[in-house]
Amino acid sequence: MKAVIMAGGLGSRLRPLTDSMPKPMVPIHGRPAMEYAVNLIKQYGIQEIAVTLCYQPKIITNYFGDGSRFGVRFHYYMETEPLGTAGSVKQAQDFLTEPFLVISGDGITDIDLGKVIDHHQETQALATMALTQVEDPTQFGIVITDKDGRIRRFIEKPKPEEVFSNTINTGIYVMEPEIFQHIPNGFYDFSKQLFPRLLAEGRPFYGVRADGYWKDIGTMEQYRQVHVDIEKGMLKQELKMVI
């Protein structure tokens, strides 16, 4: 299995931190946020990793290089124009010729990826979404699954009156390479375009509640909370020093 780290975000809600660096490089206890994603992926034996870039890409490539310092191998894909989440991953289509994991470069998590991968394989899904629960789901995509985990409803960033669940999309997926048949060239978004299309066409699209810590760092409040949570030992992930 291979992986894709989406690392092209602007991080506009984290300004002024992201005025001088891309969002995946904001420091979390002295290490770039993206390093936590790399470390997690590596724990599951995945070493071949595509990285999608857009905003201030050289800061990322200068720090991570070819990946050898971290025990992995990076393959970089640069957006020359905004392509959306799915469109950016499609750039790596020729590299992603086997089932692959997609994860954000700016989320902090120790989610059990093995559980997500196993569920994906057992259900023979085209795409599988890692799910978690939050108190306020209005800033995320909300999901309802049936007893087998098949996704039946999905709404991206619902209004308060539209909320039907506090189970949300973590932005972590396992996908088959055939998914690219459903992603056109150009700008295309996972949550706003691809996932509604998969539901409308009745494709095997599943979700699984994954155990572990997960926190989006989309706002300064969330960024501060991640540091507090790590101090409390809530994140079960330890980064080793790299040379």
Side-chain angles (χ1 to χ4, degrees):
M1 180 167 286
K2 296 179 178 178
V4 183
I5 297 177
M6 296 185 293
L10 294 174
S12 56
R13 293 180 295 166
L14 283 179
R15 288 175 177 159
L17 274 177
T18 50
D19 285 339
S20 59
M21 69 183 72
K23 189 179 176 187
M25 291 301 292
V26 298
I28 305 291
H29 275 252
R31 309 289 276 275
M34 182 174 143
E35 194 170 337
Y36 289 84
V38 174
N39 189 58
L40 182 64
I41 292 168
K42 183 184 172 184
Q43 289 177 21
Y44 291 87
I46 302 172
Q47 296 181 317
E48 295 287 329
I49 303 173
V51 182
T52 63
L53 304 171
C54 185
Y55 177 62
Q56 300 193 57
K58 286 188 177 181
I59 296 178
I60 293 175
T61 58
N62 287 345
Y63 181 85
F64 286 99
D66 64 3
S68 57
R69 289 194 305 138
F70 305 90
V72 298
R73 183 179 178 189
F74 291 128
H75 306 259
Y76 294 107
Y77 295 85
M78 177 66 192
E79 293 180 56
T80 56
E81 60 184 28
L83 292 174
T85 49
S88 68
V89 173
K90 188 177 174 69
Q91 291 184 107
Q93 180 174 356
D94 290 343
F95 169 70
L96 300 170
T97 56
E98 59 188 79
F100 61 94
L101 174 79
V102 180
I103 192 169
S104 171
D106 50 51
I108 304 301
T109 183
D110 59 14
I111 271 180
D112 183 354
L113 298 181
K115 182 177 180 180
V116 183
I117 293 168
D118 288 347
H119 191 276
H120 177 83
Q121 294 172 337
E122 289 165 3
T123 58
Q124 298 183 325
L126 177 63
T128 300
M129 177 188 295
L131 307 174
T132 192
Q133 292 184 322
V134 295
E135 291 184 8
D136 178 12
T138 56
Q139 296 303 308
F140 306 98
I142 58 174
V143 180
I144 283 183
T145 65
D146 63 19
K147 61 182 178 61
D148 297 319
R150 189 154 187 158
I151 294 176
R152 296 303 182 185
R153 293 187 68 188
F154 177 86
I155 299 180
E156 177 68 4
K157 295 182 179 178
K159 298 175 183 178
E161 62 271 21
E162 295 176 321
V163 172
F164 54 76
S165 170
N166 69 337
T167 299
I168 66 157
N169 171 19
T170 64
I172 299 172
Y173 317 116
V174 179
M175 296 179 167
E176 294 296 311
E178 289 77 16
I179 197 71
F180 294 117
Q181 298 173 14
H182 306 276
I183 302 174
N185 293 327
F187 187 97
Y188 211 66
D189 187 83
F190 279 133
S191 294
K192 295 178 181 179
Q193 293 169 290
L194 178 63
F195 297 157
R197 178 178 179 176
L198 297 182
L199 286 174
E201 295 179 355
R203 304 295 178 181
F205 180 31
Y206 286 78
V208 57
R209 173 76 182 273
D211 300 323
Y213 178 87
W214 178 87
K215 181 72 73 175
D216 177 58
I217 55 169
T219 67
M220 290 302 295
E221 180 181 355
Q222 291 168 334
Y223 178 69
R224 288 190 292 267
Q225 188 61 49
V226 163
H227 286 81
V228 172
D229 292 346
I230 292 175
E231 288 288 348
K232 291 180 178 178
M234 295 174 65
L235 178 69
K236 308 303 181 186
Q237 188 185 150
E238 185 175 339
L239 298 185
K240 297 180 180 179
M241 292 300 296
V242 295
I243 300 175

